[in-house]
Amino acid sequence: MSWTLTLVILAATAARVVASVGPDVATGSVDPRGFKFTRIDRSTGEPVRFDPCAPIHYVINPASAPAGGIDDVHATFEKTTEASGVKFVYDGTTEEVPSVDRETYQPDRYGDRWAPLLIAWVHELPSISDQPEVDGRERIGVGGSALVEGPDGGALVTGMAIFDADADLQPGFGGSTWGQAMLHEVGHIMGLDHVEIPNSIMNPLLGLRSAAWGEGDRAGLWELGLGSSCIRTPQPH
């Protein structure tokens, strides 16, 4: 089992750490349509993704959430459904504290299933081993997904996005807003990597552009969603 975690950094390229355990994967390359997959399964040549035919569940830890933060999370998933075709189901709030070592299977808390996506805000972002120095840069958050080996190759089974509760961002989906940061992180959760395209949400620089999926983002999300076939996800253990 492997977690892929990506930092969102204001005015800086993000850092990434990948655990050494899990399916044999490679970093994707930039598609001419304007997107890049985070991981490609070497055995299948396909992007590592969630099963697009099953709903993805999520929970929110509301502690330290900024004004309007909960509404922005729900709107972010609605916008992602519109772009990918994948359905998201809100399972309510949780007291789970986010961690880079998060357990992907928590039956006592969430029942006999993979843990839902976790969205949370903290006053001190968790440190990640092998993370390069980003002196003078404002870190906004960290997020990513857990991948496992399934019957059809690598599959994503859960994810999380952790945000800096003290970041100076406005609610909503204008430029330099929480909505922009949330869309970016959900893009990573879904399996999209950074691209140096000005109007892309997956551009690593938080900017004044509107918080909306760009043309390339939408193409990539559709490929990760209902634009591709269903995949079989293993049962948790």
Side-chain angles (χ1 to χ4, degrees):
M1 185 178 301
S2 172
W3 273 95
T4 299
L5 297 172
T6 304
L7 292 172
V8 179
I9 304 170
L10 187 62
T13 301
R16 173 175 296 109
V17 60
V18 181
S20 60
V21 179
D24 185 13
V25 295
T27 302
S29 58
V30 178
D31 188 278
R33 290 171 288 176
F35 63 85
K36 180 180 179 181
F37 295 130
T38 304
R39 290 290 175 265
I40 301 294
D41 189 308
R42 293 182 190 274
S43 66
T44 65
E46 297 295 324
V48 179
R49 54 197 173 92
F50 289 92
D51 177 10
C53 302
I56 300 174
H57 294 250
Y58 70 98
V59 293
I60 299 173
N61 184 330
S64 303
I70 305 300
D71 290 339
D72 285 346
V73 171
H74 296 319
T76 293
F77 283 115
E78 290 172 1
K79 293 174 183 293
T80 307
T81 292
E82 193 274 330
S84 67
V86 176
K87 294 182 179 180
F88 295 89
V89 176
Y90 178 48
D91 288 349
T93 60
T94 181
E95 295 182 353
E96 181 187 358
V97 177
S99 167
V100 295
D101 297 320
R102 185 192 187 211
E103 293 291 335
T104 58
Y105 178 50
Q106 303 179 45
D108 291 342
R109 187 188 299 272
Y110 298 117
D112 189 17
R113 56 170 177 160
W114 294 107
L117 307 183
L118 172 63
I119 311 297
W121 296 263
V122 297
H123 291 285
E124 183 175 353
L125 289 173
S127 61
I128 302 176
S129 61
D130 302 325
Q131 175 189 320
E133 293 296 325
V134 287
D135 294 338
R137 308 299 188 181
E138 181 183 353
R139 297 192 305 156
I140 304 300
V142 60
S145 297
L147 56 133
V148 300
E149 186 68 53
D152 300 318
L156 302 181
V157 293
T158 188
M160 62 181 172
I162 313 168
F163 297 99
D164 179 4
D166 301 313
D168 185 18
L169 298 177
Q170 294 298 312
F173 288 82
S176 297
T177 55
W178 280 112
Q180 188 179 82
M182 289 176 185
L183 283 171
H184 182 97
E185 285 299 347
V186 169
H188 282 311
I189 289 174
M190 291 295 291
L192 290 180
D193 205 345
H194 290 151
V195 291
E196 302 295 332
I197 298 174
N199 67 345
S200 172
I201 281 292
M202 299 315 296
N203 187 307
L205 308 183
L206 189 66
L208 297 178
R209 61 188 175 275
S210 177
W213 295 116
E215 184 177 351
D217 303 323
R218 298 176 71 87
L221 287 169
W222 185 249
E223 291 291 330
L224 293 167
L226 289 185
S228 297
S229 61
C230 304
I231 60 173
R232 292 171 292 171
T233 302
Q235 294 297 312
H237 57 79

